[in-house]
Amino acid sequence: MLSVSGIRTAALALVDRDGLEGLSMRRLAQELDVQAASLYSHYRTKEDLLADIANETMAEVDVSGFDTGDWRRGLTVWARSYRAALAAHPNLVPVIAAGPGRREAALRRADAVHGGLVAAGWPARHATMIGASTKYLVVGAAMNSFARGFDADVQVYRDRYPNLSQAHRLSEHAAEIDNDSFELALSAFLDGLDQTFAGLNPR
Amino acid sequence: MLSVSGIRTAALALVDRDGLEGLSMRRLAQELDVQAASLYSHYRTKEDLLADIANETMAEVDVSGFDTGDWRRGLTVWARSYRAALAAHPNLVPVIAAGPGRREAALRRADAVHGGLVAAGWPARHATMIGASTKYLVVGAAMNSFARGFDADVQVYRDRYPNLSQAHRLSEHAAEIDNDSFELALSAFLDGLDQTFAGLNPR
DNA sequence: TCAAAAACCGAACACCGTTAGGTAAACGTA
DNA sequence: TACGTTTACCTAACGGTGTTCGGTTTTTGA
């Protein structure tokens, strides 16, 4: 018999394997040896199903780093685990990024981040903005790896765009570049925040 | 009679008005007093059409700030104009973010950014990562405004999540918060890069 | 054991992107 | 101006999509 969690698992597997376009209610049903209409006994709509698997994917995100009162550590742990969760299911990134953060768990995490920053000495408004900024970084980085921008045939721009002809852009190294870029962005961002923080809490 | 630019304009208007899902070949054709099949005399596919309007939207992006050799200014001008271009057509952001950067103009811009950074004294590998990082920030910020995360009914979390109960989250101020967050992220990131740069080019 | 509830199915609806083939209009050339 | 050719457009259809309706089957719980 079908179960919500069984459908969820199969749907996530299908998205991971065949991409977002690869997930249709009929194909998912087929995977479960069932007719498409049966799925609607468990999910009201396809969007609901997508929101659910997006939700599950986000469960790995870790906001415990704020517990010690070290905001820099809290942000780092949060951002890295956030990015890791997205990278684990790249085909799902657009759904997660587009989905409204209305879900219970998402609100709880947002609250924890905000609270952690305020507890560490940031003004509330800054806490809001820092939370948003960090999310920008994570989501932007994940979208980029989803897009797989510069692909196979480097020949196209090898000669025409001299500045891009470095090995750096070769897609074999794309994952490494992505990771290093993210770490650079995160640490530069945090370094900049350090200065701001020092300016706000002099002495 | 139909024309490529006429179709492009009508499609963009339709996306702006009704969102991405609102654009179908049949509806677009109706808007132009024509049958859907006629559109295929001018565009090989719907994806081509989307890529084209995405392309047009990105034409506003300005990489001229690198001309003076001031990398910080170059990045700032680039990032702001990039973000502005995306914000002008929020419904199109997923398309632009997902679309591979295979288009001529996109490559030219990427080359200009990379070249500008290298000319200003950054090592090639850093230039690559900084370009990517900046893009993360811009795309992440744009995706966020596309998603319109925390919406209307604040009541839901008003009492339950004390840290989020600030006026900051009210959706009337969402655009302002978005903008301030982006500017904070950008300047913190650039401040952090300043330190890195000083470490690389001592004295 | 048996009624009530839940799960599943077959068929259909309205929509989608796209194509094949035919007709009408616009064009270039003699 | 006349005519052949190319191009633009249309009608109709194909295979796919998400979703709903009504009926049948299975599971549940008293």
Side-chain angles (χ1 to χ4, degrees):
Chain A
M1 205 176 87
L2 287 183
S3 74
V4 167
S5 79
I7 297 174
R8 196 200 295 128
T9 303
L12 187 51
L14 200 52
V15 169
D16 283 343
R17 174 152 59 82
D18 298 343
L20 253 188
E21 336 269 74
L23 174 69
S24 84
M25 297 306 265
R26 282 173 175 85
R27 301 228 283 206
L28 175 57
Q30 192 174 340
E31 208 86 6
L32 293 160
D33 281 314
V34 121
Q35 295 299 113
S38 306
L39 299 171
Y40 290 84
S41 299
H42 304 269
Y43 283 101
R44 216 172 48 75
T45 189
K46 186 188 181 183
E47 271 193 46
D48 276 17
L49 169 57
L50 280 172
D52 196 25
I53 68 183
N55 213 22
E56 191 193 21
T57 292
M58 293 297 286
E60 312 289 328
V61 177
D62 182 5
V63 292
S64 71
F66 290 99
D67 293 350
T68 64
D70 179 349
W71 61 268
R72 182 158 177 147
R73 183 175 143 69
L75 282 177
T76 304
V77 169
W78 177 47
R80 287 202 182 127
S81 64
Y82 196 163
R83 185 173 117 93
L86 294 178
H89 304 281
N91 296 333
L92 206 59
V93 170
V95 175
I96 298 176
R102 311 270 295 99
R103 298 166 308 245
E104 198 66 13
L107 288 172
R108 216 178 317 119
R109 279 189 299 269
D111 192 67
V113 170
H114 196 278
L117 290 170
V118 169
W122 284 101
R125 187 175 168 87
H126 278 77
T128 301
M129 295 192 298
I130 292 171
S133 297
T134 308
K135 207 168 125 187
Y136 296 168
L137 222 51
V138 171
V139 170
M143 280 299 290
N144 199 63
S145 78
F146 160 77
R148 283 283 122 259
F150 293 86
D151 49 2
D153 53 338
V154 195
Q155 289 313 85
V156 179
Y157 49 89
R158 156 129 291 167
D159 298 323
R160 282 220 279 231
Y161 301 103
N163 296 314
L164 293 183
S165 61
Q166 337 287 340
H168 305 152
R169 280 302 191 180
L170 286 150
S171 56
E172 316 138 33
H173 301 133
E176 186 193 325
I177 293 285
D178 268 3
N179 194 67
D180 290 356
S181 299
F182 175 72
E183 288 295 335
L184 169 71
L186 183 60
S187 62
F189 173 61
L190 292 175
D191 286 349
L193 283 187
D194 267 336
Q195 291 178 225
T196 308
F197 192 74
L200 283 171
N201 303 35
R203 183 90 322 273
Chain B
M1 207 176 85
L2 287 183
S3 73
V4 166
S5 79
I7 297 174
R8 196 199 296 127
T9 303
L12 188 50
L14 199 53
V15 169
D16 283 344
R17 174 153 58 81
D18 298 342
L20 254 187
E21 336 269 75
L23 174 68
S24 82
M25 298 305 266
R26 282 174 175 87
R27 301 229 283 207
L28 175 57
Q30 191 174 341
E31 208 85 6
L32 293 161
D33 280 314
V34 120
Q35 294 299 113
S38 306
L39 300 171
Y40 289 85
S41 299
H42 304 267
Y43 283 102
R44 215 173 47 76
T45 188
K46 186 188 179 182
E47 269 192 46
D48 277 16
L49 169 57
L50 279 173
D52 196 25
I53 67 182
N55 215 21
E56 191 193 21
T57 293
M58 293 296 287
E60 312 288 329
V61 177
D62 181 5
V63 292
S64 72
F66 289 99
D67 292 350
T68 63
D70 180 349
W71 62 266
R72 182 159 178 144
R73 184 176 142 69
L75 282 177
T76 304
V77 169
W78 176 48
R80 286 202 182 126
S81 64
Y82 195 164
R83 184 173 117 93
L86 294 178
H89 304 281
N91 295 334
L92 205 60
V93 170
V95 175
I96 298 175
R102 311 272 294 95
R103 299 166 308 247
E104 198 66 13
L107 288 172
R108 217 178 316 119
R109 279 190 299 268
D111 193 66
V113 169
H114 196 278
L117 290 170
V118 169
W122 284 101
R125 186 175 169 87
H126 277 76
T128 301
M129 295 192 296
I130 292 171
S133 296
T134 308
K135 207 167 126 188
Y136 296 167
L137 222 52
V138 171
V139 170
M143 279 300 289
N144 199 63
S145 79
F146 161 76
R148 283 284 123 259
F150 293 85
D151 50 0
D153 53 337
V154 196
Q155 288 314 83
V156 180
Y157 49 90
R158 157 128 292 167
D159 298 323
R160 282 221 278 232
Y161 302 102
N163 296 314
L164 293 183
S165 62
Q166 339 285 342
H168 305 152
R169 281 301 192 181
L170 286 151
S171 58
E172 316 138 33
H173 302 133
E176 186 193 325
I177 294 284
D178 268 3
N179 194 68
D180 290 357
S181 299
F182 175 73
E183 289 294 335
L184 168 71
L186 183 59
S187 63
F189 173 62
L190 292 175
D191 287 348
L193 283 186
D194 267 336
Q195 292 178 223
T196 307
F197 192 75
L200 282 171
N201 302 33
R203 182 93 323 271

